[in-house]
Amino acid sequence: MLIRIRSPDGMHRIEAGLKDTLAQLLERLAPVMNAPSPDAIVLTRDVKGQSILAEFEKSIVSLGLKHGDMLFASVAPSARPSVEPTDARASAGDGSSNKPAASGSLGLHVIQEDVDNQLEKDDGLITRKRDTQFCKHGANAMCEYCTPTEPFDAGYLAENKIKHMSFHAHLRKILSQSKIRGDISGGLPANIPLPLEDLDYRVKTHCLSGHAPWPEGICTKCQPSAVTLQRQPFRMVDNVEFASSAIIDRLLSFWRSTRCQRFGFLYGRYDRSPDVPLGIKAIVEAIYEPKQGWEEDGIKIDVESEDFNSEVRRADAVAGACGLKVVGMIFTDLEATNESGRVVYRRHANSYFLTSLECRLAAFMELRYPNACRWARGGHFGSKFVTCCVSGNEDGNIDVTAWQLSNSAMAMQAANLIVPSSVPSKMCVLEPTKTRYVPDVFYKYTNEYNLPVTANAKPAFPVEYLLVNLTHGFPKDPSPMFHSDNPFCIENRDHLHQVQTLGLLKRHINSAQGAAAMLAVVLADFHFLVYLASFDILGPNDIALIGRIVRDPANSIQLADELLSSSGWQTLLLMLQEASDSDLNHSGQVAGEQATLGAPAAGPTNSGNASAAAASPWACRHCTFVNSPSDDSCDMCALPKD
């Protein structure tokens, strides 16, 4: 006999014998539904899932099934990705395992951000005060004018000028259609499928229709449907908060010195945003500037090179020890005007906000850093990666704008459907080839008669259809994680005569004078920590201990004492002491330069070094930097003396 099975993936037809049991039917159904095991499938007689078939040892005939009957199948909640709260700071600090315990029969887990787990426990309702004009009841009663409203309420969003609702408000809106409200930290009923799924504009490679796989064959089930671009109603991150204005100032110092642009990765964490219902904000603690080519009108970065990625991985490891992660990227687009202190206002509604090239880079980065979500069928949904641009505003002042690319932009980038155009405000749609299927792409706009019009996006369409704008700001009472009194030199600024050297590293450590309290302040510099980790002298436990010192100011002195006595730190001090003669700049010596590293400065040097000190320093003929007499090459530009 033939049994029809309807699932979220479509209709399936399973052949079964008269003596086959329900368990045997599920064994045949599991590979068709891509289920990990037959036990993960919930089989019901009705679409609402109220009559569940669970008598696995009984035959199909004894259950009353006959040829052509239809059943309904779904994946059980135990087989779905489950949530486990993360504590990245604790795991990075004490080296303990952060692996969640297996739940359900499969042990599939999605480790979400802590802020996502917190927001799921919140009911999200927006309280409203008693309306003095319309409310006729007492103080302890409620009516339709003062009852708490949902976070996705259109009237509330319009009244507070919230253009994009938060992601968790969007999730509550979808779940409300299934009568699920309030705390959603638990699971879903067995008859309700996971509500979210990432967009995919690629041809399905494993089509069950029986034809040859793409590109030899294609059908309506495996080809993507037409794409209609429109404004995304939600955003994954609502606000970008820079922990201190000094973070932006240090990035701008490069442009002020060279009039060239700069790129960097934002390292920080996610927290709740009080300005938006169920909102999320990205708190930026540091900016790391990888190797790049810089010009007055742009930058060059090779995001797919091994050198670039290894450098970013090293910064990621240090950030992870401090309880931070990559939250976005930032770049400058500045041009000075003839008026002092003013810059050109070039990014606005009549030109562009992000160029098509910048949009494609942002989409590429969002695909590299997906957002873990237990409500999505694939375990990921969208991305929390943000893109910030430092440019001029309408008043000619330097300002920051924050953006994200929509899920449609991520899907189009993943399917290789778009390419930047020579016009900054236009994104081109690629032409189909024998191996690339390009679906129809449309976008909607309002014409001069105020009527909605659907237009073909080929060959190009405005990039605004891919953008989601965010807010940004600074805290009223800044309390940055990295607050060193003597900032360390920023990486990859050799052309500005700002070179990270062993001599500079020694002087920076020696400024602590061996005191644990001062060392804790010296270590509170992200650029210093990344350079320190590049020598591979300190082990993972030492890096984790430094991260605990930075993120736990209350116990930083005690932890710094522990670091001073560690073998890895003593090895580092010994290496720097041996390298001091060739790496310290004669003109920039500090009082403790000749002293034992990590201890207070000692007295004058012995007579054996007096003759070397008496020799005259030499100026580099390439960069005019004054070097120590014992140096054979310039300590600033690394070029030879002769």
Side-chain angles (χ1 to χ4, degrees):
M1 65 170 59
L2 192 68
I3 303 296
R4 296 180 297 164
I5 308 293
R6 174 175 291 178
S7 72
D9 297 328
M11 183 71 72
H12 310 289
R13 293 171 176 83
I14 307 298
E15 293 185 359
L18 297 176
K19 297 182 180 181
D20 288 348
T21 62
L22 183 62
Q24 293 174 328
L25 178 65
L26 291 175
E27 290 179 359
R28 298 191 184 98
L29 181 61
V32 176
M33 292 183 59
N34 293 325
S37 69
D39 297 336
I41 301 176
V42 176
L43 210 58
T44 62
R45 295 179 183 271
D46 58 335
V47 68
K48 296 183 179 180
Q50 297 178 354
S51 178
I52 300 177
L53 295 174
E55 299 168 329
F56 303 108
E57 300 302 326
K58 286 188 176 183
S59 65
I60 297 176
V61 177
S62 63
L63 293 175
L65 298 178
K66 57 183 181 297
H67 177 73
D69 282 355
M70 179 184 296
L71 300 178
F72 300 88
S74 62
V75 179
S78 60
R80 297 172 180 166
S82 62
V83 63
E84 284 291 337
T86 62
D87 193 352
R89 301 185 180 186
S91 63
D94 55 14
S96 60
S97 175
N98 195 36
K99 294 181 180 179
S103 65
S105 59
L106 302 176
L108 300 178
H109 298 270
V110 174
I111 302 179
Q112 297 187 139
E113 296 287 342
D114 290 338
V115 64
D116 290 322
N117 299 332
Q118 296 171 10
L119 291 172
E120 287 182 0
K121 299 177 181 179
D122 196 332
D123 58 12
L125 295 178
I126 304 169
T127 58
R128 295 186 294 178
K129 297 181 180 180
R130 184 174 180 271
D131 194 303
T132 56
Q133 182 178 1
F134 296 102
C135 294
K136 306 300 181 182
H137 50 75
N140 296 327
M142 287 186 180
C143 66
E144 59 179 324
Y145 299 104
C146 59
T147 303
T149 184
E150 296 287 352
F152 50 83
D153 182 72
Y156 176 85
L157 298 177
E159 180 182 354
N160 292 271
K161 298 181 179 180
I162 300 176
K163 186 177 180 181
H164 304 274
M165 71 178 76
S166 65
F167 163 69
H168 281 270
H170 172 70
L171 177 61
R172 300 302 177 94
K173 182 178 181 179
I174 297 176
L175 293 177
S176 65
Q177 300 174 1
S178 301
K179 309 299 181 183
I180 299 177
R181 294 183 173 86
D183 187 348
I184 59 172
S185 57
L188 284 173
N191 62 327
I192 299 179
L194 292 174
L196 301 177
E197 185 176 11
D198 264 330
L199 298 174
D200 191 357
Y201 299 146
R202 293 169 293 190
V203 178
K204 295 181 180 179
T205 55
H206 302 288
C207 186
L208 303 177
S209 299
H211 59 76
W214 171 261
E216 284 76 17
I218 193 172
C219 67
T220 56
K221 292 184 178 180
C222 60
Q223 72 178 26
S225 58
V227 180
T228 301
L229 299 175
Q230 53 188 348
R231 181 175 63 87
Q232 184 169 285
F234 65 93
R235 53 190 178 188
M236 305 300 297
V237 176
D238 302 279
N239 180 263
V240 179
E241 180 182 288
F242 294 91
S244 172
S245 59
I247 299 175
I248 298 295
D249 290 338
R250 297 196 71 186
L251 178 70
L252 292 177
S253 64
F254 184 89
W255 176 79
R256 294 189 177 108
S257 301
T258 64
R259 287 299 187 261
C260 295
Q261 311 307 324
R262 201 63 174 165
F263 170 89
F265 283 105
L266 304 175
Y267 284 90
R269 63 187 186 276
Y270 298 106
D271 201 354
R272 301 186 62 164
S273 176
D275 300 327
V276 180
L278 300 178
I280 297 175
K281 65 179 177 181
I283 302 177
V284 179
E285 295 284 357
I287 298 176
Y288 182 79
E289 303 174 10
K291 291 182 180 179
Q292 55 196 277
W294 38 272
E295 303 289 344
E296 291 186 4
D297 58 348
I299 54 176
K300 296 179 181 179
I301 53 175
D302 189 359
V303 294
E304 295 182 339
S305 67
E306 181 59 30
D307 293 340
F308 182 90
N309 291 321
S310 62
E311 184 181 3
V312 174
R313 283 194 297 268
R314 183 170 61 247
D316 290 346
V318 174
C322 299
L324 307 177
K325 63 185 303 183
V326 176
V327 298
M329 66 180 184
I330 188 171
F331 58 89
T332 61
D333 182 20
L334 299 168
E335 181 182 353
T337 62
N338 296 330
E339 186 178 357
S340 176
R342 302 295 180 182
V343 293
V344 176
Y345 176 44
R346 61 160 57 101
R347 295 176 181 257
H348 47 77
N350 295 326
S351 59
Y352 56 87
F353 297 107
L354 288 182
T355 67
S356 56
L357 182 61
E358 295 162 356
C359 288
R360 196 184 186 195
L361 175 62
F364 175 84
M365 288 298 179
E366 290 185 13
L367 289 170
R368 176 174 287 188
Y369 298 97
N371 173 57
C373 179
R374 72 186 186 107
W375 302 95
R377 298 176 186 176
H380 295 91
F381 185 77
S383 174
K384 288 188 174 72
F385 191 90
V386 302
T387 300
C388 295
C389 177
V390 184
S391 187
N393 59 17
E394 57 185 349
D395 297 325
N397 299 320
I398 297 177
D399 197 5
V400 180
T401 56
W403 306 90
Q404 276 193 305
L405 272 291
S406 65
N407 290 10
S408 296
M410 295 175 59
M412 296 181 77
Q413 171 64 25
N416 193 24
L417 301 181
I418 53 178
V419 65
S421 69
S422 58
V423 180
S425 60
K426 297 288 186 180
M427 182 74 77
C428 289
V429 180
L430 290 172
E431 293 294 330
T433 63
K434 293 182 179 180
T435 58
R436 180 175 58 231
Y437 181 85
V438 179
D440 294 330
V441 183
F442 304 96
Y443 67 94
K444 294 182 178 181
Y445 69 96
T446 304
N447 61 10
E448 63 273 16
Y449 303 106
N450 200 26
L451 297 175
V453 178
T454 300
N456 194 342
K458 298 178 182 179
F461 63 92
V463 297
E464 285 77 10
Y465 286 89
L466 306 178
L467 297 179
V468 178
N469 63 316
L470 318 179
T471 59
H472 78 282
F474 301 90
K476 294 181 180 179
D477 300 316
S479 180
M481 177 180 293
F482 303 105
H483 51 80
S484 178
D485 297 333
N486 183 23
F488 193 70
C489 177
I490 298 178
E491 60 281 340
N492 300 313
R493 291 193 176 186
D494 299 0
H495 292 80
L496 292 183
H497 295 179
Q498 299 177 12
V499 185
Q500 293 179 336
T501 62
L502 290 176
L504 184 62
L505 181 67
K506 176 180 178 178
R507 289 196 297 273
H508 198 73
I509 295 177
N510 201 39
S511 64
Q513 300 180 355
M518 298 180 65
L519 179 62
V521 177
V522 168
L523 292 175
D525 190 306
F526 185 73
H527 307 283
F528 169 71
L529 297 182
V530 176
Y531 184 61
L532 191 64
S534 65
F535 294 103
D536 295 329
I537 297 177
L538 300 178
N541 293 335
D542 297 323
I543 298 297
L545 180 58
I546 293 176
R548 292 169 61 192
I549 295 173
V550 172
R551 68 174 184 268
D552 188 7
N555 301 316
S556 60
I557 298 178
Q558 179 182 356
L559 296 173
D561 280 326
E562 183 180 346
L563 177 66
L564 287 172
S565 60
S566 65
S567 59
W569 187 260
Q570 294 298 324
T571 303
L572 174 67
L573 299 184
L574 181 62
M575 184 207 71
L576 294 180
Q577 185 178 0
E578 294 296 330
S580 61
D581 290 338
S582 60
D583 285 311
L584 276 176
N585 297 325
H586 179 80
S587 60
Q589 288 181 340
V590 293
E593 176 180 321
Q594 302 294 339
T596 301
L597 204 60
T605 59
N606 56 31
S607 58
N609 293 331
S611 59
S616 60
W618 57 277
C620 177
R621 60 189 178 91
H622 302 283
C623 67
T624 71
F625 185 78
V626 179
N627 293 273
S628 176
S630 59
D631 291 342
D632 295 329
S633 60
C634 179
D635 213 16
M636 182 61 67
C637 65
L639 294 176
K641 179 178 180 180
D642 298 328

